[in-house]
Amino acid sequence: MKIKESSLPADVLGKIKNPDPIEGEDILIESESGELIGVIIQPKAYEFFLKKIEEKEDEIDSALDEKYDSGAKSLDDLMGED
């Protein structure tokens, strides 16, 4: 989901743009009972997170040991079968 910064209250936007270096850059959003309901992470941390996920997915994909079979049915072939 994407939202425009203009839809956020000024105090929240200020905390996002100028995080407290002592508290850390991530912003945890809690319910009144203390339950974690959301997290805001900074753009560089988000990019790093996505990069690590892609690396892990590539690692899993490369571990598959399936031989290519040019005669195998395609998904379109299988969907066309009655």
Side-chain angles (χ1 to χ4, degrees):
M1 169 193 323
K2 293 183 180 180
I3 60 172
K4 298 292 182 192
E5 66 180 62
S6 59
S7 68
L8 296 172
D11 63 327
V12 172
L13 186 57
K15 290 175 183 175
I16 293 170
K17 288 187 168 189
N18 303 297
D20 183 342
I22 295 172
E23 292 290 325
E25 294 181 338
D26 299 337
I27 298 171
L28 307 178
I29 304 166
E30 296 180 341
S31 68
E32 294 302 319
S33 65
E35 177 186 359
L36 183 64
I37 59 172
V39 177
I40 299 173
I41 61 173
Q42 298 301 313
K44 288 183 181 180
Y46 180 68
E47 289 173 16
F48 176 79
F49 177 68
L50 289 180
K51 178 182 170 190
K52 290 299 177 184
I53 289 175
E54 289 172 3
E55 288 174 2
K56 187 62 176 177
E57 287 174 342
D58 291 345
E59 179 184 319
I60 291 168
D61 289 346
S62 67
L64 295 175
D65 190 22
E66 294 182 17
K67 303 293 182 210
Y68 175 72
D69 180 1
S70 61
K73 292 184 178 184
S74 69
L75 180 58
D76 289 336
D77 295 334
L78 294 171
M79 296 293 291
E81 292 182 354
D82 289 295

